[in-house]
Amino acid sequence: MSYVIGVDLGTSAVKTVLVDRSGHVLYEASEAYPLYQPKAGYSEQNPEDWVQQTIVSLRKLMEISGINPAEVEGLSFSGQMHGLVLVDAEGSVLRPAILWNDTRTTAQCRKIENTLGQDLLSIARNRALEGFTLPKILWVQENEPEILDQAALFLLPKDYVRYRLTGDYAMDYSDAAGTLLLDPAAKSWSEQIANAFSLPLSLCPKLVESFDLVGTLLPEVAEEAGLTPQTKVFAGGADNACGAIGAGILSEGKTMSSIGTSGVVLSYEERKNLDFEGKVHFFNHSEKDAYYIMGVTLAAGYSLTWFKDTFAKDLSFDLLLQGIDQIPAGSGGLLFTPYIVGERTPHPDANIRGSFIGMDASHTLQHFGRAVLEGITFSLRESIDIIRGAGKTISEVISIGGGAKNETWLQMQADIFNAKIIKLESEQGPAMGAAILAAYGCGWFGSLQEVAAAFIRPAKTYEPNPETAASYDKLFALYQEVYGQTRELNEKLTEYRS
C-alpha cells in the first residue's frame, strides 16, 4: 500500500492528513502555534513555530497511523497566503513574519497605487490591499531598511517551511500571484513593478508549478518526522488554490462557495486576459496554465459567530439556527449586511460597517439568525454576479466550510445563487488539495482532474426553488442599495468608534 500526505499551514495551526490511493483520509493530526500582535493592526508569527509544529504534526500522524514510513511516497503543502518571510544569504529569518491579516500597510498601498497607476491592474491584475505581500516589503523598506538590506530572498509561509524540510528555495505560481510582484498572465516576476520600488529581482525566489518535485526530506528532518529521506516533496499551493483543488474546481464552469471566518466564491478560469478592474481577485491556479477568479466576504462565518457571541452566547450554533427553516425567505422584512469588519468584494472598503434594517417588535431570535445567513449569502452572490457578468455560466456551486453544515443554509445558497448546490461526502479543503498535488506528482494519475475525480465524491445536491429564488432576487436588489446609502453615514459615525 502507498500513501501521500497533505500539509495545510493555516493561520492558527498546521494540519496534516494521510490519504490512500482511493482518496480516503485515514488519519489526521494538527498542531497550533501562537499569533503575536505587538501593536494594534499588527499580526505576526515566528516562522520557526511553523517548522517545528509541522514536524511534530507529521510525527504524530505517523505514530497514530502505525504505517511503514517507506509507504509514504510524497507530501505537498497548502499555505496561508501573502505572509512575508525575509531570509538572509544563509537562510536565517531576519524578522517575524508579517501575516495576511496584518493591516499596518495602508500608506504603502496608496504608494503602490500612486506610483504604478493603471499599470498595477494591467500587470498584477489585483488592487493594492493591506493583505498582499508587496506592501509589507515596502513597509520593511521604509521602517526597517537595515533588515531589507540583509535580505537575500522573500518567501511565503509554506515556502519557508518547505525550504527548512528540503533545503530548496522556490515559490509556486498560485501563491506568487498574491504578492503583487507577479505578472500572472506571463507567469514571471514583474521587473517593472520591482524597479518602481527599487527592489532587486534577486529578492524573488525561482517559480515552479504546484505539482513540481522540489526535493526530498533532509535526513535529520525525516528522522524527526518519522518519515524517510526518500519521501518526495512537491511545491504545493496557496490555500485558496488548494481548497479549490480539494473541491474539484479544476475545469471550466466549476465554482465553489467556501464559508469559513471569511467567505470565498472561487471559479475556474482558462482565459488569462480578463479584466475585472480589481473588483475580484485574479490569481494563477495550481493547475498548469489555469487561473481562478475569487471574490471575498471578509466577515462571512465571522458574522454568525459575532451574532451568537453577542446575542446568544449560551447557545450552540445548532440551537441558534434551530427553527430558521420555519421563517420565510426574507426573514419577515429584516435585512442584515455583513460589513462588521469592512468589506472586500465588490467594495474594498475598510471603513464600511454592518447593519440590521427593518427591525420590528415581531422579530424573534430565529428571524435575526436567518437574516444573518441571508446577508452573508447575499454578499457572496455579489461575487457570483461579477463572475457571471464576465460571461461565465454558473449553474452549480460546490459548497464547503461552515455553509455546508446546515441544511437550511445549503438550500438558501441554492435559492440566492439560483444554482444547484453540491455538498461533498468528505470535506478536507486545502489539506486534501495538497494531498491531490502530491498524488499527481507521484504519478498515481495522469492529471489533477483524474485525481480529483477519484478522491472527491458528492454527497447531496440542493436545487433552487424558482418561487423562492425570484423572491430573493427582489430582496438582493434592496441589499445592493444599502452600501451606497449607508457609506456616508458610516463615515460620519467613525469619530464615535473607540
Side-chain angles (χ1 to χ4, degrees):
M1 191 65 179
S2 54
Y3 308 88
V4 290
I5 292 174
V7 180
D8 179 22
L9 190 78
T11 308
S12 58
V14 59
K15 176 182 178 180
T16 56
V17 295
L18 183 72
V19 181
D20 67 15
R21 281 181 172 266
S22 299
H24 294 111
V25 175
L26 304 179
Y27 300 94
E28 60 182 83
S30 64
E31 291 294 323
Y33 29 70
L35 175 71
Y36 301 99
Q37 297 175 301
K39 294 182 182 179
Y42 283 34
S43 183
E44 299 182 343
Q45 283 178 328
N46 179 356
E48 284 307 302
D49 290 340
W50 303 331
V51 175
Q52 294 309 314
Q53 296 301 78
T54 296
I55 293 172
V56 169
S57 183
L58 287 170
R59 185 171 66 245
K60 286 188 175 180
L61 188 70
M62 296 305 294
E63 288 173 350
I64 61 176
S65 70
I67 66 166
N68 183 344
E71 293 182 309
V72 177
E73 288 192 37
L75 62 84
S76 190
F77 297 84
S78 160
Q80 51 167 298
M81 297 179 71
H82 314 311
L84 175 65
V85 182
L86 292 169
V87 298
D88 63 18
E90 283 72 47
S92 299
V93 173
L94 293 169
R95 70 170 327 281
I98 305 177
L99 301 192
W100 63 274
N101 56 355
D102 188 291
T103 60
R104 76 182 77 176
T105 57
T106 300
Q108 287 72 35
C109 289
R110 302 295 81 80
K111 178 179 179 179
I112 292 168
E113 293 170 344
N114 294 334
T115 302
L116 293 174
Q118 284 300 116
D119 287 345
L120 175 64
L121 287 177
S122 64
I123 299 172
R125 311 297 290 282
N126 293 282
R127 292 178 182 268
L129 299 174
E130 285 82 356
F132 290 162
T133 317
L134 177 58
K136 306 180 198 309
I137 295 174
L138 299 187
W139 185 91
V140 175
Q141 185 183 60
E142 295 171 19
N143 294 275
E144 300 171 352
E146 71 286 357
I147 295 293
L148 195 62
D149 287 345
Q150 297 174 63
L153 283 175
F154 86 90
L155 298 170
L156 298 176
K158 77 170 193 330
D159 302 314
Y160 177 73
V161 173
R162 196 186 58 247
Y163 155 68
R164 286 294 311 280
L165 268 58
T166 66
D168 180 81
Y169 290 119
M171 188 180 296
D172 75 287
Y173 294 106
S174 73
D175 231 354
T179 65
L180 286 187
L181 279 164
L182 187 79
D183 180 334
K187 296 180 72 172
S188 64
W189 296 115
S190 171
E191 188 173 357
Q192 180 179 341
I193 294 178
N195 287 345
F197 303 103
S198 303
L199 298 173
L201 276 181
S202 60
L203 196 63
C204 305
K206 70 179 179 183
L207 292 164
V208 296
E209 299 288 354
S210 294
F211 46 79
D212 278 349
L213 177 67
V214 293
T216 54
L217 292 178
L218 295 170
E220 62 273 21
V221 170
E223 183 177 358
E224 281 189 78
L227 292 162
T228 73
Q230 289 74 42
T231 307
K232 298 174 182 176
V233 179
F234 301 91
D239 53 6
N240 285 308
C242 286
I245 293 173
I249 310 301
L250 284 165
S251 59
E252 193 61 38
K254 295 284 190 178
T255 300
M256 79 171 186
S257 166
S258 173
I259 301 176
T261 301
S262 61
V264 166
V265 168
L266 186 153
S267 190
Y268 183 94
E269 181 56 62
E270 293 178 344
R271 297 167 292 177
K272 66 181 181 181
N273 295 317
L274 289 176
D275 183 5
F276 291 96
E277 300 177 341
K279 292 179 182 177
V280 289
H281 299 317
F282 185 84
F283 292 142
N284 299 77
H285 205 328
S286 286
E287 169 69 300
K288 188 174 183 179
D289 297 331
Y291 302 85
Y292 63 88
I293 308 160
M294 186 176 76
V296 178
T297 295
L298 286 182
Y302 181 64
S303 287
L304 185 62
T305 300
W306 163 80
F307 178 74
K308 184 186 97 65
D309 289 348
T310 304
F311 300 106
K313 194 173 185 65
D314 295 333
L315 295 183
S316 67
F317 283 106
D318 287 341
L319 285 175
L320 174 68
L321 299 179
Q322 192 173 52
I324 63 166
D325 57 324
Q326 303 302 310
I327 304 296
S331 303
L334 183 62
L335 185 64
F336 172 71
T337 59
Y339 307 144
I340 59 174
V341 293
E343 192 50 298
R344 178 72 63 83
T345 306
H347 313 292
D349 187 341
N351 297 316
I352 193 67
R353 289 297 178 266
S355 58
F356 281 107
I357 298 172
M359 289 181 284
D360 67 37
S362 70
H363 288 138
T364 65
L365 184 65
Q366 284 72 33
H367 286 89
F368 279 90
R370 184 176 183 106
V372 169
L373 299 191
E374 289 176 338
I376 294 166
T377 313
F378 283 144
S379 179
L380 295 169
R381 160 81 181 265
E382 293 201 283
S383 294
I384 282 182
D385 280 6
I386 292 172
I387 297 168
R388 282 174 169 156
K392 188 177 292 295
T393 298
I394 299 179
S395 57
E396 62 180 43
V397 177
I398 295 173
S399 182
I400 66 173
K405 291 178 170 46
N406 181 278
E407 296 272 329
T408 303
W409 201 352
L410 285 161
Q411 184 60 51
M412 184 186 295
Q413 291 175 66
D415 294 332
I416 290 178
F417 299 160
N418 198 13
K420 179 168 71 176
I421 298 297
I422 301 171
K423 175 182 170 65
L424 299 178
E425 183 181 292
S426 175
E427 182 199 316
Q428 292 289 340
M432 176 58 82
I436 288 174
L437 287 170
Y440 173 51
C442 287
W444 288 7
F445 295 86
S447 68
L448 286 174
Q449 290 93 334
E450 288 181 27
V451 189
F455 282 20
I456 302 167
R457 291 168 281 274
K460 193 172 180 180
T461 61
Y462 300 78
E463 297 283 352
N465 179 300
E467 185 178 332
T468 309
S471 176
Y472 272 134
D473 276 345
K474 294 178 182 178
L475 189 59
F476 177 63
L478 295 176
Y479 171 90
Q480 289 184 296
E481 292 183 24
V482 175
Y483 174 80
Q485 294 188 17
T486 60
R487 184 179 180 184
E488 184 177 346
L489 179 61
N490 269 283
E491 290 176 353
K492 291 179 179 178
L493 287 170
T494 300
E495 63 182 287
Y496 296 98
R497 295 181 189 137
S498 56

